[in-house]
Amino acid sequence: MEAVQLFPEGDCGLLAVCGERIDDRVGDRVTALDVAIRAARLPGVVETVPAFASLLVRYDPLLTDYDTLAAAVEPLTARTRVHRRLGGRVVTIPVCYGGDYGPDLAFVAQHAGLTEGEVIRRHTAPRYRIYMLGFLPGFPYLGGLDPALFTPRLQNPRTAIPAGSVGIGGQQTGVYPVVSPGGWQLIGRTPLRLFAPDRPLPYAAGDRIRFVPITAARFAELAQKEGTV
């Protein structure tokens, strides 16, 4: 596997490119380097931001500079050359599929040539890796969607998607943690409050998400507890 490449990113960032594709092996390299840099507590580092195939390291330019940081990070990249799956949490997210909760489930089923029940079964089968968070606070970009469920985005995006909506966009699936415009096909919704400014997210990049189907009655019960009614 190719060596990790380091590049300056603006005036206070270092970008470590670990590969050129989206897969578990490259994702493991990103995660391993992220863990190594945070454990090293390098002077001036403000935060690390993992993505599909790269890691952004933000630093305080008053405390360090790119050359100094790159010299410290370069030896740590060697640790990503050994392929090993790093342990991450498995976060369970209950989802009520179809109906008002997933208005595009029928279209996804039609596009795939499957029944709605089979779409749900296939969607809940994997444990999806969280490659990165972005677009919205806490929006997880997930890998591992069954290719049979790949579905094109809406031609005309919605202006407001309910918080908790689970959608499919092209080759990916994800959850909208807050109300937002969006063009993904909505197949369900979770009653959980995934994002709140006063508490940490229930997941992070490198964790895995498992979707579990629930009934509308169970959705209402959990939504009452979560305050997401």
Side-chain angles (χ1 to χ4, degrees):
M1 182 170 283
E2 65 273 17
V4 175
Q5 296 180 292
L6 305 181
F7 303 96
E9 186 74 15
D11 60 356
C12 59
L14 177 150
L15 186 67
V17 178
C18 300
E20 297 182 349
R21 62 189 182 277
I22 301 173
D23 65 24
D24 273 352
R25 190 173 178 85
V26 174
D28 284 346
R29 300 185 82 197
V30 173
T31 300
L33 183 57
D34 186 23
V35 170
I37 290 174
R38 287 189 282 111
R41 299 183 180 276
L42 301 177
V45 170
V46 175
E47 67 172 341
T48 55
V49 184
F52 285 115
S54 62
L55 179 71
L56 174 65
V57 183
R58 290 186 58 246
Y59 60 86
D60 185 339
L62 299 179
L63 298 178
T64 190
D65 57 39
Y66 173 80
D67 290 338
T68 300
L69 184 59
V73 169
E74 198 281 330
L76 301 178
T77 65
R79 303 184 188 182
T80 71
R81 295 172 188 163
V82 178
H83 175 60
R84 64 188 181 91
R85 185 164 306 284
L86 296 171
R89 296 171 297 172
V90 176
V91 179
T92 299
I93 296 182
V95 178
C96 187
Y97 287 89
D100 292 337
Y101 303 103
D104 300 320
L105 178 61
F107 176 80
V108 172
Q110 181 184 31
H111 183 269
L114 302 170
T115 65
E116 293 184 14
E118 181 64 10
V119 170
I120 296 170
R121 188 192 71 77
R122 288 174 180 257
H123 190 259
T124 55
R127 293 186 175 185
Y128 297 96
R129 182 187 187 129
I130 303 177
Y131 279 96
M132 58 181 289
L133 303 175
F135 168 55
L136 297 170
F139 187 98
Y141 283 88
L142 307 178
L145 180 65
D146 188 325
L149 302 184
F150 292 177
T151 312
R153 293 166 172 79
L154 297 174
Q155 291 187 350
N156 298 305
R158 294 179 171 92
T159 57
I161 290 176
S165 292
V166 176
I168 292 175
Q171 301 180 19
Q172 293 183 286
T173 187
V175 189
Y176 289 82
V178 296
V179 177
S180 166
W184 288 24
Q185 306 280 355
L186 305 183
I187 61 173
R189 194 188 313 166
T190 179
L192 302 184
R193 187 184 299 278
L194 299 178
F195 173 76
D198 59 346
R199 68 184 188 192
L201 292 169
Y203 44 70
D207 290 342
R208 295 183 182 266
I209 284 181
R210 173 174 172 258
F211 294 114
V212 175
I214 58 173
T215 64
R218 181 58 175 162
F219 182 99
E221 179 183 343
L222 291 174
Q224 187 69 37
K225 291 181 180 179
E226 291 282 311
T228 57
V229 179

